Amino acid sequence: MIRDQEETTEQQGVRSEGGAGTSDAAARPDTAESGTPPHPDAPESDTVRPDTTEPAAANPDTTEPAAAENPDAPQPAAVQPAAVQSGVVQSGVVEPDPAECDETHADEVEGDEPLLPARVHRPSDLMRLLVGVLAIAVLLGIAAFAHGTTSGLEQDINKGTGQAPDLLIRFAGLASSIAILLVPVAFAIERLIKRDGLRIADGVLAAVLAHGVTLATDLWVARAAPGSIQEALTQPSPGDIHALTDPVHGYLAPVIAYMTAVGMSRRPRWRSVLWIVLLLDAFSMLVTGYTTPFSIILTVLIGWTVAYGTLYAVGSPNVRPTGRTLLAGLRHVGFHPVGAAREEALDTENGDRGRRYFVTLEDGPPLDVTVVDREQQAQGFFYRAWRNLTLRGFATRSSLQSLRQALEQEALLAYAAIAAGANAPKLIATSELGPDAVMLVYEHTGGRTLDSLADEEITDELLRHTWHQVQALQSRRIAHRRLAGDAILVDRSGTVILTDLRGGEIAAGELLLRMDVAQLVTTLGLRVGAERAVASAVGVLGPDAVADCLP
C-alpha cells in the first residue's frame, strides 16, 4: 500500500500530543476556527477525510458544541497515524499549497487503494487479436478460391490509378516515404517527453515481431503457398520483370504495429496523421505497380494483429489515474477541491462500475465523483459478451464500448432519469482525465443503501417509494438494468434515490422493462419476503405489469 501521507499525519499527531493543536487552525482558518461540523450526509466510513475531521479532532472544544447543535450528524473518527488507522491506507496524493506553511498538504486522497499491477491484460486486446487472425484467414481464403474476383479487382484498380497525374504520384511517393519515418519518431519523442516510455517499448517490440511475421509470410508465399494466393499477393516488379513484388511490405507492417501498440489510434490528431500516411503510401505503391490491393490489406492486418497480440501477451501499462489527477481534473472544470476520500474499496465483481470518491470543496457542498478507466471497464467483459450472445431478443450495447461512449451513456441516463421525475443523483460536470479515464461529478446525495438497512427499517412505505421511482423510469421507457440492493439509496429523510444508472437503456423495449420489474421483485423479496415484495409491486404498478414479468 502507498502511504505518502504517513509522515505528515505523524507530525500532526506529535503536535496534538504536545499541546500545539493550533497548527491546522492556523493553516485553515476557514474550517478549523469556525468549528464547522461535518456534512450531515457525509458517508460513514473509517476513512478520515482531510480538512473536515482532522481540525475538529485537534480542537475538541469546537467539536462538542457542533455536535450539540446537530445531534444527527455522524461523529468523526479520532485522528490516528496512518500506520494504525483501521483499514485506511493513504493513496499518495500530495500537492503543496504555496499559500500555506510548508508542513501542510492541501491535496489528499484517502481510502483503501489496493496495489495495482504494473501491467494489465485487457480482454479487448485479445478480442482484437482473434478478429485480426480471422480476417487474415478470410483474406487468404478469398485469394485462394476467388481467383476471378481478385483478378478483376486488380484490373479495375490499375485502370483507375493509371489515370492519376504524374506529379501527384511523385508527390505521394515522396511524402509517404518521409512521413513513414518521421511520424513514429515524432510520436516517440512526444511520449518520452511525457514520461511514457513503457508505451514506446511496447511499440518497438510489436514492430520487431511484425517484421518477423512479415519475413515468414514472404517466405511461405514464395515457397509453399498455392499459386492463386501468390498471384493475388504479388505481381512482376516494374524494375525487373523476372522478379516478383513482396507479398507483405517489410517496412509498412512494423510501422502499423508500432503505431497501434503505442496507442496512437486513441489520439485524434495522431490518428488522422496515421491514416493520411497509410493512404498516401498505399496509393503510391499501387500506382507504381509495386504492390497489389490484397498485399496492402494483408500488410495492414498483420501489423494490426501483431500489435494487439503483443499488448495482450506482455500486458498494457496500467495508466489508472491517481488522486492528483482527479483533483486536477476537478479544478479544470471549475471546482476548488480541498480533499477527497475513497468511499468504497474496489469490488472485483462490479469493478466496471467505477471508483467513487467523496470530495470536499473550499466554497460549496461536497461532491460525489465517479472515475472510470480502461482497466475497470475491461472487468466483466466476457460476461457482457456472453450476455449479448444469449439475450438476442433486444439490442445490447457493444462489449467493446469506448470510454467516450461510456461517459456519454451514463450522462444521458442521469439526465433522462431526472427528466422522467425519478430521484437520481444530479450530474453537474463531466470530464476526461487523459486518454485512459473519465470522471463524472454528481451532487452529494448521502444516505445508506438498501443492503445496509436493517430488516425492520424496510417498511411498506419505503417499498412503495422504491416502486414509484421505477414506475417513473418505465413511464419514459427507461430501463435501469441493475436494480440490486446497492443501487437503491435511502437518505436521512427516507427519500429513495436510484443510483448506478450507467448500465441502463433509453427507449427500452418491453423485455428490458419486465426484467427490471422481475429483478426488483427478487431483490426486495430476498429482504422482506415474497408476499410483501409482490404486494408492494402490485400496489404501484398494477397486477398486469407484475404478471408480465413472470416469464
Side-chain angles (χ1 to χ4, degrees):
M1 295 296 180
I2 303 174
R3 295 188 176 92
D4 291 340
Q5 294 294 320
E6 188 169 327
E7 180 179 356
T8 303
T9 309
E10 291 177 353
Q11 292 175 356
Q12 293 174 354
V14 171
R15 295 191 192 95
S16 298
E17 294 176 3
T22 60
S23 58
D24 287 334
R28 301 183 183 90
D30 57 335
T31 57
E33 292 181 358
S34 61
T36 302
H39 193 279
D41 291 334
E44 299 176 359
S45 67
D46 293 335
T47 304
V48 181
R49 296 187 180 87
D51 294 339
T52 55
T53 59
E54 283 189 8
N59 191 356
D61 295 335
T62 59
T63 305
E64 293 177 0
E69 292 174 5
N70 187 6
D72 295 331
Q75 297 300 324
V79 177
Q80 297 178 354
V84 298
Q85 288 181 4
S86 174
V88 178
V89 179
Q90 313 293 344
S91 64
V93 179
V94 182
E95 185 175 351
D97 189 346
E100 300 180 352
C101 61
D102 295 337
E103 296 178 351
T104 304
H105 298 273
D107 290 351
E108 301 177 2
V109 174
E110 300 182 355
D112 189 5
E113 296 280 0
L115 283 176
L116 303 176
R119 291 180 173 269
V120 291
H121 301 276
R122 296 173 180 168
S124 58
D125 293 337
L126 176 60
M127 293 300 298
R128 291 185 176 98
L129 167 64
L130 297 178
V131 170
V133 172
L134 178 61
I136 292 174
V138 170
L139 179 68
L140 295 178
I142 295 176
F145 300 104
H147 178 69
T149 301
T150 58
S151 299
L153 180 63
E154 289 181 9
Q155 291 176 2
D156 293 340
I157 292 178
N158 291 332
K159 184 183 298 184
T161 55
Q163 300 176 359
D166 185 63
L167 180 62
L168 178 62
I169 296 174
R170 293 181 179 181
F171 172 78
L174 178 63
S176 62
S177 300
I178 296 175
I180 284 291
L181 297 176
L182 292 184
V183 171
V185 175
F187 188 79
I189 295 174
E190 189 257 353
R191 288 291 91 195
L192 290 175
I193 292 175
K194 295 185 177 180
R195 299 181 180 181
D196 196 8
L198 286 177
R199 291 187 184 275
I200 303 302
D202 294 341
V204 172
L205 177 60
V208 172
L209 294 177
H211 184 66
V213 173
T214 298
L215 295 179
T217 304
D218 289 344
L219 184 63
W220 173 74
V221 172
R223 297 186 178 182
S228 56
I229 293 180
Q230 186 180 77
E231 185 176 350
L233 297 177
T234 62
Q235 63 182 12
S237 176
D240 185 1
I241 59 175
H242 300 290
L244 297 176
T245 59
D246 293 332
V248 183
H249 298 284
Y251 67 91
L252 188 58
V255 170
I256 294 174
Y258 169 83
M259 292 179 175
T260 304
V262 297
M264 187 180 293
S265 60
R266 293 197 298 269
R267 293 166 172 81
R269 294 181 180 179
W270 288 101
R271 182 173 61 240
S272 301
V273 173
L274 170 62
W275 280 108
I276 292 174
V277 170
L278 293 179
L279 291 176
L280 282 176
D281 186 77
F283 174 77
S284 62
M285 296 292 289
L286 284 173
V287 170
T288 54
Y290 282 96
T291 189
T292 66
F294 278 80
S295 176
I296 290 290
I297 298 174
L298 181 61
T299 299
V300 174
L301 288 177
I302 287 179
W304 190 72
T305 304
V306 171
Y308 285 112
T310 303
L311 290 178
Y312 187 76
V314 303
S316 302
N318 196 336
V319 290
R320 172 173 292 179
T322 63
R324 186 188 297 273
T325 309
L326 168 64
L327 297 178
L330 288 171
R331 295 189 185 94
H332 183 68
V333 294
F335 296 102
H336 302 284
V338 175
R342 176 75 176 275
E343 290 192 1
E344 58 184 10
L346 181 63
D347 186 354
T348 57
E349 181 180 356
N350 299 314
D352 61 323
R353 294 169 55 198
R355 304 195 311 280
R356 300 177 181 178
Y357 293 89
F358 173 84
V359 179
T360 54
L361 303 179
E362 293 179 359
D363 52 357
L367 304 173
D368 291 330
V369 181
T370 299
V371 177
V372 182
D373 55 49
R374 295 188 184 277
E375 279 65 50
Q376 288 178 303
Q377 195 181 28
Q379 295 190 21
F381 169 82
F382 292 110
Y383 167 74
R384 293 193 300 271
W386 172 251
R387 184 182 64 183
N388 291 350
L389 291 175
T390 55
L391 300 178
R392 297 185 300 273
F394 54 91
T396 55
R397 290 197 308 275
S398 171
S399 297
L400 295 176
Q401 191 181 33
S402 67
L403 280 174
R404 166 62 65 175
Q405 291 173 331
L407 175 68
E408 294 173 348
Q409 175 75 12
E410 185 166 353
L412 176 62
L413 265 295
Y415 292 134
I418 294 177
N423 295 328
K426 184 178 179 181
L427 181 67
I428 57 179
T430 60
S431 179
E432 291 185 346
L433 299 177
D436 299 292
V438 295
M439 74 172 180
L440 299 100
V441 184
Y442 295 91
E443 288 186 353
H444 178 63
T445 54
R448 293 183 293 166
T449 63
L450 185 69
D451 287 341
S452 63
L453 295 178
D455 292 340
E456 58 272 11
E457 295 181 272
I458 305 178
T459 62
D460 292 338
E461 182 180 5
L462 179 61
L463 297 179
R464 287 194 300 271
H465 287 336
T466 304
W467 282 113
H468 278 302
Q469 302 309 311
V470 175
Q471 185 183 41
L473 293 181
Q474 299 209 348
S475 66
R476 301 295 178 86
R477 315 296 297 180
I478 301 174
H480 188 284
R481 302 289 304 270
R482 196 185 177 281
L483 288 171
D486 57 350
I488 302 172
L489 199 67
V490 182
D491 66 10
R492 295 183 181 277
S493 63
T495 302
V496 176
I497 303 171
L498 298 182
T499 65
D500 197 17
L501 290 164
R502 64 175 304 191
E505 298 279 354
I506 62 170
E510 287 294 334
L511 181 57
L512 286 179
L513 300 180
R514 293 173 184 176
M515 289 175 65
D516 268 3
V517 176
Q519 185 177 21
L520 185 56
V521 167
T522 304
T523 299
L524 298 179
L526 293 174
R527 294 300 309 274
V528 301
E531 293 184 3
R532 287 182 62 191
V534 173
S536 62
V538 172
V540 176
L541 302 181
D544 293 338
V546 178
D548 288 342
C549 81
L550 289 178

